[in-house]
């Protein structure tokens, strides 16, 4: 409750500021009036005196009413002075002498019209402020904001509907294949939530596990950002489609060592640049899959020919040809570690951790204008995924293939060590220099001369020993070489 | 051979649990839009306040709306509200 009150209080502060600003503007207008009145002061006085003078002219004729009328006139004047010159105090609210204003008796005719003018001028500015024209900027902005909010709500709901349409179609297949469907990691026990995990307004996750051969499967429904108006406008220039990304983590014993990918040429070129494992193990450019009967849009990246032969069986080719328009990329890798990490120079790193993974990226048909039916049409692709899981488990390289694969992996590791060797050497050297410097400092800081001498001698001895060791090593190497 | 039969669950192994996709290693790759928009919004609101430019303040409001629309659900709602203001 306290937090709520604080929140309300905090909300009031800017609101009051905004209101205060309007007050200032109003005050500003009033100030303008005061400015005018500063100079018009004398006019007012003269006008008041002019009003006074006809009264006096009249009252002089009626001697009986003289006193009362004069009093009234003076009261009126005092009120006027209070209204217009409130800031200036009471100095001018005293009644004026008749002698000062003798000259103004000549203008009685113009006074009535002048009497009316000050009253009308005061009213006009109030009307001007209420017109719509002065607020066109605000109206425009608020309309834009309202449009944004409307788009947000519509987009959010559409993504939600698409996600649930997908899930309802796929639920049966998933539940028949996986023991745990839907988990958000918060429960202590592993129970199926049976629901999608909403990470964002446009990203939905689903974790399935509990099947032989695979550790688990993470499905990500990556929709377009329909809730963001800017994105919607950008998509009008550049059409894009929703994606479904499936990542299957395999158990170590259930997959042999190979790296293989198939997909659209564009996607494969991009992946080869970005992905650590594809760039290291698949050095050739993506090859056409026409040899296996694949459509021209698809290409293959493989570590070795044997893997391609093994992977491209009849059923796989059937899947790939039939759903070629929906497939963006399919990647099987035992050395999967994600995209290449940007490392700083001089930063010592170990080889990134690898996991045996199968990755699938599917494009939802409709390129942006998707409907729930389009989501449903992805169901056969899920069957393909399940088929691939089983296939990956069954596929084993023969002896030659295995040797090649092992050699490749050893080569990659060696390269990495070579790269970091220089860095490791530099690090070791800097450490040694640090130690020497620390020792020297200690020796310098020793006040006792005796101790100093002893430490220096110890350091000298250590250095001599090191030199001797080095010399011995060199001799040994020379002997071996001979 | 190898039919996709009902899941054969080994009772001795615990079921692997959900782990959020490794955003700790590459948070920058995971769409920096909400963070940029937040920063822009704050900059514009400061400009609007200091230089008394109304249009700056309006752009700041827009930026905070865009940041909210693109944000991840794991982020604090209190932070969101404060960015709106």
């Amino acid at each position: 409750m306290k937090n709520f009150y604080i929140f309300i209080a905090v909300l009031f502060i800017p609101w009051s500021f905004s209101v205060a600003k309007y007050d200032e503007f109003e005050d500003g207008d009033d100030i303008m009036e005061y400015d005018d009145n500063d100079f018009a002061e004398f006019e007012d006085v003269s006008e008041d005196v002019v009003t006074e003078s006809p009264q006096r002219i009249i009252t002089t004729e009626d001697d009986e009413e003289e006193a009362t009328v004069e009093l009234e006139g003076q009261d009126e004047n005092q009120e006027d002075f209070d209204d217009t010159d409130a800031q200036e105090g009471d100095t001018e609210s005293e009644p004026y002498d008749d002698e000062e204003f003798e000259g103004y008796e000549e203008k009685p005719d113009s006074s009535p019209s002048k009497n009316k003018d000050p009253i009308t001028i005061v009213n006009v500015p109030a009307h001007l402020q209420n017109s719509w024209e002065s607020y066109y900027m605000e109206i425009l902005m608020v309309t834009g904001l309202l449009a944004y909010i409307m788009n947000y709500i519509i987009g959010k709901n559409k993504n939600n509907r698409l996600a649930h349409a997908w899930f309802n179609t796929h639920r049966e297949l998933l539940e028949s294949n996986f023991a745990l469907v839907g988990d958000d990691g918060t429960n202590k026990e592993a129970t199926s939530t049976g629901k999608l995990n909403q990470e964002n307004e446009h990203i939905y996750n689903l974790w399935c596990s509990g099947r032989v051969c695979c550790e688990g499967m993470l499905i990500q429904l990556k929709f377009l950002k329909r809730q963001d108006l800017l994105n919607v406008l950008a998509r009008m220039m550049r059409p894009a489609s929703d994606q479904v990304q499936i990542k299957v983590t395999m158990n170590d014993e259930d997959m042999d060592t190979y790296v293989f990918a198939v997909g659209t040429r564009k996607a494969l070129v991009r992946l080869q640049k970005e992905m650590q494992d594809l760039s290291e193990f698949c050095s050739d450019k993506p090859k056409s899959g026409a040899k296996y009967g694949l459509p021209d849009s698809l290409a293959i990246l493989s570590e070795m020919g044997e893997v391609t032969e093994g992977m491209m069986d009849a059923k796989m080719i059937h899947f790939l040809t039939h759903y070629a328009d929906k497939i963006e990329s399919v990647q099987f890798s035992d050395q999967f570690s994600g995209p290449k990490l940007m490392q700083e120079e001089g930063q010592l790193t170990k080889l990134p951790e690898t996991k045996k993974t199968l990755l699938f990226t599917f494009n939802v048909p409709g390129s942006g204008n998707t409907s729930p039916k389009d989501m449903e049409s992805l169901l056969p692709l899920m069957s393909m995924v399940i088929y691939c899981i089983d296939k990956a488990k069954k596929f084993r390289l023969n002896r030659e293939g295995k040797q090649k694969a092992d050699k490749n992996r050893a080569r990659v590791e060696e390269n990495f060590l070579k790269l970091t060797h220089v860095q490791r050497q530099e690090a070791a050297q800097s450490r040694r220099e640090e130690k020497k410097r620390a020792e020297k400092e200690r020796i310098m800081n020793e006040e006792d001369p005796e101790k100093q001498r002893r430490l220096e001698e110890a350091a000298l001895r250590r250095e001599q020993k090191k030199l001797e060791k080095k010399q011995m090593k060199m001799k040994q190497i020379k002997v071996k070489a001979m | 051979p190898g039919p996709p039969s009902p899941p054969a669950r080994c009772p001795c192994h615990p079921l692997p649990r959900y782990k959020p996709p490794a955003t700790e290693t590459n948070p920058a790759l995971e769409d920096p839009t909400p963070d940029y928009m937040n920063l822009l919004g704050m900059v514009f609101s400061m400009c609007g306040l200091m230089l008394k430019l109304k249009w700056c303040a309006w752009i700041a409001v827009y930026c905070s709306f865009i940041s909210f629309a693109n944000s991840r659900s794991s982020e604090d709602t209190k932070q969101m509200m404060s960015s709106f203001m």
Side-chain angles (χ1 to χ4, degrees), chain A residues 3 7 10-11 14 21-22 137-138 140-145 148-149 152 175-180 183-191 197-203 205-207 209-212 215-216 218 220 222 225 227-228 230-231 339 341 386 390 394, chain B residues 1-10 13-23 25-26 29-34 37 48-49 52-59 61-75 77-78 80-82 84-85:
Chain A
N3 287 337
F7 178 70
V10 172
L11 263 179
K21 270 194 176 171
Y22 285 120
M137 173 82 160
E138 275 75 10
L140 211 67
M141 288 293 182
V142 169
T143 320
L145 270 178
Y148 192 88
I149 293 171
Y152 175 80
E175 281 181 351
S176 67
N177 273 293
F178 292 91
L180 174 68
D183 181 19
D184 53 7
T186 51
N187 298 338
K188 278 192 192 156
E189 293 170 8
T191 43
N197 215 356
Q198 186 175 1
E199 191 182 302
N200 230 330
E201 302 301 343
H202 62 281
I203 297 182
N205 293 337
L206 184 70
W207 172 257
S209 70
R211 192 182 196 272
V212 277
E215 201 180 285
L218 178 66
Q220 273 194 318
K222 288 195 172 161
K225 286 190 188 168
Q227 78 275 13
D228 181 19
L230 282 184
N231 212 284
L341 298 166
I386 309 280
D390 290 327
K394 272 184 281 166
Chain B
S5 51
R9 208 172 110 197
C10 178
H13 296 304
L15 274 176
R17 299 302 305 280
Y18 169 72
K19 275 163 264 168
T23 42
T25 48
N26 48 2
L29 294 176
E30 297 287 327
D31 189 26
T33 311
M37 282 295 146
L49 205 64
K52 293 210 177 143
L53 299 167
K54 243 199 244 180
W55 56 268
C56 269
W58 279 111
I59 294 176
V61 173
Y62 270 106
C63 282
S64 72
F65 264 94
I66 295 172
S67 161
F68 170 72
N70 283 312
S71 65
R72 298 166 269 273
S73 64
S74 54
E75 282 185 16
T77 30
K78 277 185 246 170
M80 246 31 118
M81 289 294 130
S82 71
F84 269 130
M85 291 197 270

Side-chain angles (χ1 to χ4, degrees), chain A residues 48-99:
Chain A
D48 290 336
V49 170
V50 168
T51 58
E52 215 181 35
S53 51
Q55 285 175 3
R56 293 194 181 233
I57 292 165
I58 298 164
T59 51
T60 45
E61 291 172 0
D62 295 326
D63 292 330
E64 294 173 354
E65 299 174 353
E66 198 183 291
T68 52
V69 175
E70 277 183 355
L71 276 172
E72 283 177 5
Q74 281 175 5
D75 282 338
E76 282 176 10
N77 286 336
Q78 278 183 347
E79 281 171 5
D80 287 337
F81 283 132
D82 284 336
D83 287 334
T84 57
D85 302 327
Q87 290 177 340
E88 296 176 40
D90 296 329
T91 47
E92 288 156 15
S93 57
E94 292 168 42
Y96 283 82
D97 293 332
D98 292 338
E99 294 163 1

Side-chain angles (χ1 to χ4, degrees), chain A residues 6 8 11 26 32 39 53 110 117 146 149 187-188 195 222 242 244 265 273 287 294 323 340 350 383 405 462:
Chain A
I6 293 167
I8 297 286
L11 263 179
E26 287 172 356
M32 294 301 291
F39 295 104
S53 51
S110 50
D117 288 339
L146 280 174
I149 293 171
N187 298 338
K188 278 192 192 156
K195 275 189 289 181
K222 288 195 172 161
D242 303 309
V244 177
R265 202 168 281 270
K273 266 189 254 171
K287 282 185 234 163
L294 292 178
Y323 307 109
K340 280 191 195 166
K350 286 182 278 177
S383 324
R462 252 178 274 144

Side-chain angles (χ1 to χ4, degrees), chain A residues 425-460:
Chain A
Q425 255 191 344
E426 282 177 9
Q429 188 147 18
S430 60
R431 254 180 282 142
R432 259 179 273 143
E433 281 178 12
E434 274 291 323
K435 267 194 209 166
K436 273 194 192 163
R437 232 181 294 144
E439 258 199 66
K440 279 191 186 157
E441 265 193 60
R442 236 184 302 142
I443 294 171
M444 298 298 281
N445 290 339
E446 270 304 325
E447 294 189 356
D448 195 359
E450 279 266 347
K451 271 196 186 170
Q452 246 193 7
R453 230 188 310 129
R454 251 182 279 156
L455 283 166
E456 275 187 35
E457 281 174 14
L460 264 169

Side-chain angles (χ1 to χ4, degrees), chain A residues 303-321:
Chain A
E303 192 181 348
M304 50 187 126
E306 191 202 329
V307 176
T308 325
E309 293 288 330
M311 280 292 138
M312 290 289 125
D313 64 351
K315 201 156 182 196
M316 193 68 156
I317 295 174
H318 168 84
F319 271 126
L320 290 172
T321 37

Side-chain angles (χ1 to χ4, degrees), chain A residues 213-375:
Chain A
C213 43
C214 68
E215 201 180 285
M217 175 166 82
L218 178 66
I219 305 175
Q220 273 194 318
L221 302 174
K222 288 195 172 161
F223 292 111
L224 300 166
K225 286 190 188 168
R226 293 189 177 82
Q227 78 275 13
D228 181 19
L229 189 61
L230 282 184
N231 212 284
V232 168
L233 296 171
R235 254 189 303 123
M236 291 187 186
M237 314 287 161
R238 201 168 27 124
S241 37
D242 303 309
Q243 281 193 339
V244 177
Q245 279 188 358
I246 302 175
K247 182 171 164 183
V248 183
T249 347
M250 303 290 283
N251 291 327
D252 280 335
E253 62 273 11
D254 286 324
M255 187 171 155
D256 213 346
T257 53
Y258 51 88
V259 176
F260 172 77
V262 66
T264 58
R265 202 168 281 270
K266 212 170 147 188
L268 286 185
V269 168
R270 187 176 41 90
L271 284 175
Q272 196 173 28
K273 266 189 254 171
E274 284 177 12
M275 291 294 173
Q276 180 91 7
D277 49 352
L278 286 178
S279 61
E280 282 175 356
F281 292 97
C282 304
S283 45
D284 305 328
K285 276 196 271 191
K287 282 185 234 163
S288 160
K291 196 165 74 163
Y292 302 98
L294 292 178
D296 286 332
S297 56
L298 296 178
I300 300 175
L301 258 183
S302 172
E303 192 181 348
M304 50 187 126
E306 191 202 329
V307 176
T308 325
E309 293 288 330
M311 280 292 138
M312 290 289 125
D313 64 351
K315 201 156 182 196
M316 193 68 156
I317 295 174
H318 168 84
F319 271 126
L320 290 172
T321 37
H322 267 83
Y323 307 109
D325 58 333
K326 299 193 182 82
I327 295 175
E328 165 121 346
S329 73
V330 173
Q331 184 182 351
F332 302 163
S333 167
D334 74 311
Q335 297 280 318
F336 181 73
S337 59
K340 280 191 195 166
L341 298 166
M342 304 303 292
Q343 291 163 4
E344 290 166 8
E345 297 243 2
Q347 197 184 34
L348 256 187
T349 48
K350 286 182 278 177
L351 266 176
E353 260 188 55
T354 58
K355 209 115 182 52
K356 297 195 175 181
T357 326
L358 311 179
L359 275 163
F360 302 84
T361 310
F362 300 130
N363 290 329
V364 178
S367 71
N369 296 327
T370 33
S371 69
K373 281 225 178 97
D374 295 320
M375 302 305 288

